[in-house]
């Protein structure tokens, strides 16, 4: 795992009462996890069905579970690669005018996540012993009680999303003993978009999967290989629709009822 960060900031004082702060930041997180036999097609060489014969997907079976036996089984982690790049643009302004100290700003973040996760890629098997009474005997005979087969190699998921936040705040010094804070923040989080539309949703009304509309390969594959299964496309490029009503008002006050520094009453909501 590796982390990288870079920040560029600029603070500008235009007048004694007008200040602007802006910065651009970039962060990168890289996660790499894989088994010791990743890239070595042991499963394919053992003639395990559908096991990849080359590339990063090839390797040892994910799991060979053995029950009712002195042997507990074998397993190996499959590749799990995740790289996240985050770009942030922020700008905030502060303006002092009379009894008011007003602040406003915008925070925009662009997130690019590329995920390659070879879950179950070289299949998983369970030998429970239901056929011979001993799991290892079932294993030697090659008759698993359950098996998890992956028919095709996993593809890289490339997810993109943008979040936006805007705020305005006013600190109003009504009197020497009373200050009122009023503000409003709005946030919008765009649903992640997978560039190839590889991630479907299950539609209970359809009784099958619906793929994002940018996916051009899923429907032809099902029609050619599994025409018995219901499958369709969504009318959008994301799994779910966005929530656009994320307004967050806030109000607070600080009051010194005794006109001294020893007693201050504070209240707030937001």
């Amino acid at each position: 795992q590796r982390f990288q960060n870079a920040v560029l900031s600029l603070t500008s004082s235009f007048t004694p009462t007008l200040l602007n702060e802006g910065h651009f930041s970039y962060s990168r997180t890289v996660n790499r996890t894989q088994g010791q036999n990743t890239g070595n097609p042991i499963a394919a060489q053992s003639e395990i069905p559908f096991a990849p014969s080359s590339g990063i997907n090839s390797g040892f079976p994910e799991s060979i579970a053995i029950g009712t036996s002195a042997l507990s089984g074998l397993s190996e982690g499959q590749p799990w690669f995740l790289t996240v790049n985050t770009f942030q643009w922020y700008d905030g302004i502060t303006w002092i005018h009379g009894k008011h100290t007003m602040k406003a700003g915008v925070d925009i973040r662009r997130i690019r996540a590329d995920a390659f996760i070879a879950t179950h890629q070289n299949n998983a098997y369970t030998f429970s012993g239901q056929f011979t009474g001993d799991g290892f005997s079932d294993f030697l005979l090659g008759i698993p009680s359950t098996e998890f087969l992956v028919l095709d190699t996993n593809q890289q998921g490339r997810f993109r999303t943008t979040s936006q936040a805007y705020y305005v705040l006013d600190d109003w010094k009504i009197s020497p003993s009373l200050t009122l804070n009023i503000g409003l923040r709005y946030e919008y989080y765009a649903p992640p978009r997978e560039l190839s539309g590889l991630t479907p949703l299950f539609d209970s009304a359809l009784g099958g999967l619906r793929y994002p509309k940018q996916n051009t390969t899923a429907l032809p594959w099902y029609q050619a290989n599994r025409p018995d299964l219901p499958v369709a496309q969504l009318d959008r490029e994301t799994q779910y629709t966005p929530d656009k009503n994320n307004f967050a008002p806030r109000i607070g006050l600080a009051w010194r009822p005794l006109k001294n520094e020893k007693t201050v009453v504070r209240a707030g909501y937001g």
Side-chain angles (χ1 to χ4, degrees):
Q1 192 175 51
R2 185 176 69 218
F3 302 94
Q4 296 171 301
N5 298 277
V7 179
L8 179 64
S9 299
L10 176 64
T11 301
S12 304
S13 181
F14 298 112
T15 71
T17 60
L18 183 61
L19 178 72
N20 188 84
E21 298 176 84
H23 74 247
F24 168 79
S25 67
Y26 167 73
S27 65
R28 177 182 175 89
T29 303
V30 179
N31 297 275
R32 294 287 186 269
T33 301
Q34 64 185 46
Q36 64 180 4
N37 292 296
T38 295
N40 183 8
I42 294 176
Q45 293 170 356
S46 301
E47 299 183 355
I48 290 180
F50 309 109
S53 59
S54 62
I56 196 69
N57 285 288
S58 62
F60 189 83
E62 182 179 62
S63 174
I64 301 176
I66 299 176
T68 62
S69 176
L71 298 176
S72 60
L74 301 170
S75 64
E76 181 172 309
Q78 303 298 301
W80 190 87
F81 298 167
L82 176 63
T83 302
V84 181
N85 294 287
T86 302
F87 305 85
Q88 180 189 22
W89 296 269
Y90 168 80
D91 190 78
I93 191 169
T94 301
W95 180 39
I96 301 174
H97 181 69
K99 296 182 179 182
H100 297 269
T101 299
M102 288 168 280
K103 298 181 179 181
V106 56
D107 187 347
I108 299 177
R109 305 186 187 201
R110 177 67 173 173
I111 301 174
R112 300 161 54 108
D114 296 325
F116 178 81
I117 304 174
T119 306
H120 307 311
Q121 189 58 69
N122 288 282
N123 307 333
Y125 301 88
T126 299
F127 299 89
S128 65
Q130 73 176 76
F131 299 102
T132 66
D134 182 84
F136 187 63
S137 297
D138 286 4
F139 170 73
L140 293 176
L141 292 173
I143 46 176
S145 56
T146 63
E147 54 186 338
F148 197 117
L149 302 180
V150 176
L151 303 182
D152 198 2
T153 57
N154 290 342
Q155 303 299 312
Q156 183 182 41
R158 298 169 296 162
F159 297 90
R160 306 291 185 263
T161 185
T162 301
S163 67
Q164 305 173 50
Y166 307 88
Y167 71 90
V168 60
L169 177 66
D170 183 15
D171 286 343
W172 180 16
K173 195 171 182 62
I174 299 175
S175 70
S177 61
L178 179 62
T179 300
L180 185 65
N181 313 106
I182 304 174
L184 178 66
R185 182 180 178 90
Y186 174 75
E187 296 181 353
Y188 172 76
Y189 296 93
R193 174 180 179 269
E194 204 288 308
L195 298 186
S196 299
L198 299 176
T199 308
L201 286 178
F202 179 78
D203 186 339
S204 58
L206 175 68
L209 300 176
R210 286 189 181 273
Y211 285 82
K213 66 179 184 180
Q214 69 269 30
N215 188 311
T216 59
T217 60
L219 267 64
W221 187 92
Y222 277 94
Q223 291 166 357
N225 296 279
R226 293 301 305 270
D228 57 309
L229 295 178
V231 64
Q233 283 190 305
L234 295 165
D235 60 356
R236 57 184 183 270
E237 295 187 342
T238 59
Q239 286 187 306
Y240 54 91
T241 56
D243 181 5
K244 298 182 179 180
N245 62 351
N246 296 314
F247 290 93
R250 59 175 293 184
I251 185 170
L253 63 84
W255 177 43
R256 291 182 295 164
L258 304 180
K259 311 299 182 182
N260 57 43
E261 302 293 336
K262 294 182 178 181
T263 304
V264 179
V265 178
R266 300 182 186 274
Y269 171 81

